[in-house]
Amino acid sequence: EDQVTQSPEALRLQEGESSSLNCSYTVSGLRGLFWYRQDPGKGPEFLFTLYSAGEEKEKERLKATLTKKESFLHITAPKPEDSATYLCAVHQRNSGYSTLTFGKGTMLLVSP
Amino acid sequence: DGGITQSPKYLFRKEGQNVTLSCEQNLNHDAMYWYRQDPGQGLRLIYYSQIVNDFQKGDIAEGYSVSREKKESFPLTVTSAQKNPTAFYLCASSTVSNQPQHFGDGTRLSIL
């Protein structure tokens, strides 16, 4: 069975304190790994797609990387507005349709 | 602006009542999805549809029904058979490939 595990469950940082969120996965034939940001009471907002090991994507203070077993979302010098839940999802090659398996998310709180 | 509109934002269901959640998209996406989100759990797939007049059950379809009569619309009915309907319901859409899914802002369903 496909599994997507995110760690830590929650992370509290001081403004400017860089850190990383982890997403480990066990799927056969990865077709893509997706990162989303979700604010309370809102739908997830798409951040990045990674398709192959070694790939990296950047957006402002966020950088996503991918290996064969896991992905990291690096947050450099975070600001309070980066506080949100970050979700990871994987799309596998064997499925006949484009469905995703989501992790439970990492809740990030950045204090001023 | 292109996007996904879910309505209502809040919905209350009485015992034994069916309720329908609306999802409309103007992104010209072929695929649409319904997820359920509970505290501490990842998004779980209820139903998905790749084309008009066709849909498939996801991981937790029992007690739910859908229709896809138009490309733009994918309503979800929570039937009285769903014994634990209290949750945050999210609708998403994507092109038919391993492309990112884009989400609406959800409907929060509660029991009266």
Side-chain angles (χ1 to χ4, degrees):
Chain A
E1 184 177 327
D2 298 341
Q3 275 204 327
V4 180
T5 304
Q6 292 189 245
S7 62
E9 291 184 10
L11 180 62
R12 185 165 189 160
L13 300 174
Q14 290 295 120
E15 184 171 3
E17 179 186 1
S18 301
S19 188
S20 297
L21 313 182
N22 178 263
C23 173
S24 62
Y25 60 90
T26 54
V27 298
S28 55
L30 180 73
R31 290 192 66 190
L33 185 142
F34 303 86
W35 281 99
Y36 289 85
R37 169 194 170 124
Q38 186 176 23
D39 293 300
K42 299 286 189 180
E45 174 190 348
F46 170 69
L47 294 173
F48 303 110
T49 306
L50 302 166
Y51 290 106
S52 57
E55 190 174 358
E56 299 182 352
K57 295 275 181 72
E58 282 190 72
K59 180 180 178 180
E60 296 181 356
R61 295 177 293 282
L62 300 177
K63 179 180 177 180
T65 62
L66 181 66
T67 72
K68 289 185 178 180
K69 296 290 185 184
E70 59 192 348
S71 176
F72 292 93
L73 184 65
H74 307 278
I75 304 176
T76 302
K79 298 182 178 181
E81 52 262 42
D82 295 321
S83 298
T85 296
Y86 290 85
L87 303 174
C88 168
V90 299
H91 176 238
Q92 71 160 39
R93 191 186 307 277
N94 294 330
S95 62
Y97 297 95
S98 179
T99 63
L100 300 180
T101 301
F102 281 84
K104 295 181 180 181
T106 293
M107 185 182 300
L108 174 66
L109 177 63
V110 182
S111 303
Chain B
D1 284 341
I4 300 174
T5 302
Q6 290 188 242
S7 62
K9 189 171 179 65
Y10 299 97
L11 187 59
F12 298 90
R13 195 191 89 170
K14 296 179 181 178
E15 293 289 339
Q17 185 182 46
N18 293 353
V19 293
T20 297
L21 285 60
S22 171
C23 177
E24 303 278 334
Q25 56 100 357
N26 61 3
L27 298 168
N28 199 32
H29 286 167
D30 289 301
M32 297 187 74
Y33 313 81
W34 275 106
Y35 292 91
R36 171 181 172 140
Q37 188 173 36
D38 295 280
Q41 297 203 38
L43 275 67
R44 291 183 291 168
L45 184 64
I46 304 173
Y47 268 98
Y48 59 101
S49 169
Q50 299 288 301
I51 57 173
V52 174
N53 293 322
D54 186 47
F55 48 82
Q56 288 75 38
K57 293 181 179 180
D59 300 320
I60 55 166
E62 185 174 352
Y64 301 97
S65 66
V66 294
S67 62
R68 185 87 186 275
E69 298 177 359
K70 298 186 302 181
K71 185 175 183 177
E72 302 79 20
S73 179
F74 191 40
L76 173 74
T77 296
V78 184
T79 74
S80 57
Q82 173 49 246
K83 298 306 179 187
N84 184 24
T86 298
F88 190 48
Y89 290 87
L90 288 160
C91 178
S93 71
S94 71
T95 57
V96 185
S97 66
N98 58 338
Q99 294 300 310
Q101 294 180 13
H102 297 270
F103 287 81
D105 274 342
T107 292
R108 188 165 299 280
L109 176 62
S110 303
I111 295 294
L112 280 177

